[in-house]
Amino acid sequence: MASLSQLITCSLSSPSPSSPGASFCLKPRRGAVGRVSCTSSPAEPDASRLDRRDVLLGLGAAGASATAAGILLSFPRRAGADPVATPDISSCGPPDQLPPSANVLTCCPPPSSASPVDFAPPADASSSPLRTRPAAHSAGADYVAKFNRAIAAMKALPADDPRSFAAQASVHCAYCDGSYSPDGFPGLDLQVHNSWLFMPFHRCYLYFFERILGSLIGDPTFAIPFWNWDAPDGMRMPAMYTDQSSPLFDPRRNGRHVPPKLIDLDYNGREPRFTDNQQVDHNLRVMYRQVYVCAMRASMQRVSTKSTNMISLSPTPSLFFGSPYRAGDDPNQGPGSVENIPHGPVHIWCGDPEQPAGEDMGNFYSAGRDPLFYAHHANIDRMWAVWKGLDSRRHTDLTDPDWLDASFLFYDEDPKLVRIRVRDVLNMDRLRYRYQDAPTPWTSARPVVTTQRVRSATSSLLTPTARAAGAKEAARFPVTLDSPTRVTVKRPVSARRSRAESKLAKEEVLVIDGIQVDMDVAVKFDVFVNAGEDHAAVGPGGRELAGSFVNVPHRHRHDKRGRAIKTTLRLALNEQLEDLGAEGDDSVVVTLVPRQGKGKVKIGSVKIEIMD
């Protein structure tokens, strides 16, 4: 077999028919750093400057063979863009090393002998019925009975029917646990979590799931419910899912978390010692921090009557949706704010800790088996709509064509195989569904700086170990996060500003890079800024808490690092630094505190960047 250097060498032996004497060269992806140049004699370009996606695509498309002289075969390249392409479902393989508790042999949905058709929304949207997704906790008896009937009909279908509940549940496993590879990259896993694909994939998933349910009961107006965990009245597991005689019930849930237990949107595997009022308050402050709201203040009006204060962890589309994930990339480029929290903790909170791998909701391979999964993700999808409505000027969908043209495959109610692109699902009205109006009380639950009085009160709720917890200094990176770890991070000179200047400043982002974690372990760590030695007394509603990283267990086939993933966490800082009075400081003190999966996480670096 030819070496990598031989495979990326330009050849004079196979000139293009249209350009006599010209050599064939690998064409770098659009926007790649570095380039490959052809010369009049074979040459070895600097392989370190080649984008690995171009090399992998060339190997996948042209093979890795070469002539006896080591001459390179042409590497054909899709022209123009690098969206993650629709997988070939006929090549779906088993997920890697499912837990011993798994009772499935494959995550693959039933195959199709027909080619997929491209998704087409109704030509006249106004003539199609509008489906309204209700809040699960307030749904009436008639709706609950209809929903039970629909789920029962879906569960009654044979597993080889792509509309069946078993087949629908396998969709999440296939796209999230390494059963698919992106088209053109057989050596890589396709992963729809931890990147900008998270929101649109799950919107597509719910859309077809909902259409199938409506078809099974002959009601095109039927809509699935959403779990309204972001408002106090919805912060318990909805009653319709806890009836053990209902097809909505799943025995593999945490028995301690049935009503009247309030959900903990910052859950880390341990039960908080809060009163109900405290838990509600913490949940609302978590929502404020993660989803981002807009508030006009008198001080800003003096700067500009058209300005708004950009709040929380999602002030820009890229921080809300997550990091770019293009064809040929390793998966897990970096999650958006809502995907981390509350998405991850709700999964873990629901899963059964008595099961070997936290089944069902506590593990990606099994999450789709719990009907509650779809209500949880309906509220995540609702957060997308809510976020856009909070600031229509800045809260917009991404415009990168690699995001817009990324595609997925789903079966519809007929059932036929449908190829749907991200650009197809940006307008809910065209998809003919909406969400019942529901309050968002968290928009006024701004986190507060933890005063000494609050620290003392909170400290009484902590265990002696937690009260005594200090933080070690990170002497060098990478570090294993087996205990609280503190590092002083210099701020870019351009970021330092006065309080008045901070109102219109570009977004300052804390970047926790090179996060390496065992993918099959539930992990959570918190990130504090300027918390001093009292980070243990800062609750999820404290201003010093910048955000968190959460890993919901899953598996992959192809990851060359074994069971580990490598990813990045990005946290917006502008409002936090303003509240902490640190806008003009040269540096900040960042404390990383493992909450779940201690010793299972490595951190490559901590830095601050400026985002336009």
Side-chain angles (χ1 to χ4, degrees), residues 4-39:
L4 175 62
S5 62
Q6 288 172 316
L7 287 170
I8 60 176
T9 301
C10 294
S11 168
L12 293 177
S13 302
S14 303
S16 166
S18 60
S19 304
S23 56
F24 282 156
C25 284
L26 179 67
K27 178 184 177 183
R29 68 173 176 87
R30 176 167 46 83
V33 177
R35 58 184 128 176
V36 183
S37 61
C38 292
T39 63

Side-chain angles (χ1 to χ4, degrees), residues 77 105 135 198 209 402 412-413 443 497 507 518 538 572:
R77 178 72 178 162
L105 298 177
F198 170 77
F209 182 79
D402 289 351
D412 68 9
E413 67 273 18
T443 58
R497 55 191 179 269
E507 195 62 42
D518 285 353
V538 179

Side-chain angles (χ1 to χ4, degrees), residues 164-410:
S164 70
F165 190 81
Q168 288 295 303
S170 70
V171 169
H172 196 258
C173 182
Y175 272 100
C176 310
D177 284 79
S179 289
Y180 289 140
S181 292
D183 183 34
F185 298 92
L188 289 176
D189 285 337
L190 174 59
Q191 172 59 266
V192 294
H193 292 87
N194 296 322
S195 78
W196 66 7
L197 293 187
F198 170 77
M199 283 289 188
F201 168 82
H202 287 87
R203 173 168 287 186
C204 295
Y205 189 9
L206 298 181
Y207 173 79
F208 288 106
F209 182 79
E210 181 174 77
R211 282 178 50 175
I212 292 170
L213 288 175
S215 174
L216 290 173
I217 59 174
D219 184 357
T221 68
F222 178 77
I224 60 175
F226 66 93
W227 182 4
N228 191 197
W229 34 246
D230 62 301
D233 288 346
M235 287 182 182
R236 293 176 175 85
M237 194 177 292
M240 69 171 77
Y241 294 92
T242 62
D243 179 358
Q244 295 189 24
S245 65
S246 166
L248 300 175
F249 179 75
D250 182 356
R252 289 177 292 276
R253 293 186 191 137
N254 192 326
R256 294 176 297 177
H257 293 165
V258 298
K261 182 73 172 182
L262 286 169
I263 195 169
D264 178 10
L265 296 182
D266 197 51
Y267 187 64
N268 59 24
R270 298 181 180 180
E271 302 303 318
R273 299 173 61 186
F274 296 141
T275 66
D276 282 359
N277 287 338
Q278 288 173 326
Q279 186 65 71
V280 168
D281 179 72
H282 285 316
N283 285 344
L284 295 179
R285 296 187 191 279
V286 166
M287 288 302 303
Y288 180 104
R289 185 184 75 226
Q290 297 299 130
V291 181
Y292 168 102
V293 299
C294 223
M296 180 70 72
R297 291 195 253 147
S299 61
M300 288 212 62
Q301 293 179 23
R302 290 195 296 269
V303 177
S304 170
T305 58
K306 296 182 180 180
S307 298
T308 54
N309 184 33
M310 301 309 162
I311 299 176
S312 173
L313 295 187
S314 301
T316 67
S318 60
L319 289 175
F320 179 78
F321 288 105
S323 296
Y325 172 32
R326 309 180 198 274
D329 279 344
D330 281 326
N332 304 294
Q333 290 293 305
S337 58
V338 172
E339 180 181 358
N340 246 325
I341 294 177
H343 166 255
V346 173
H347 266 280
I348 304 298
W349 188 84
C350 292
D352 184 358
E354 302 302 320
Q355 296 295 321
E359 289 89 350
D360 276 333
M361 276 277 279
N363 199 300
F364 281 160
Y365 94 87
S366 56
R369 299 185 199 170
D370 188 341
L372 188 57
F373 165 88
Y374 304 93
H376 170 41
H377 271 277
N379 205 35
I380 293 291
D381 182 65
R382 173 175 162 263
M383 288 302 107
W384 183 354
V386 169
W387 175 79
K388 289 175 68 174
L390 289 172
D391 183 354
S392 59
R393 184 176 63 89
R394 289 194 63 185
H395 292 190
T396 60
D397 293 321
L398 299 168
T399 58
D400 192 311
D402 289 351
W403 186 68
L404 296 172
D405 291 329
S407 58
F408 317 103
L409 288 177
F410 293 93

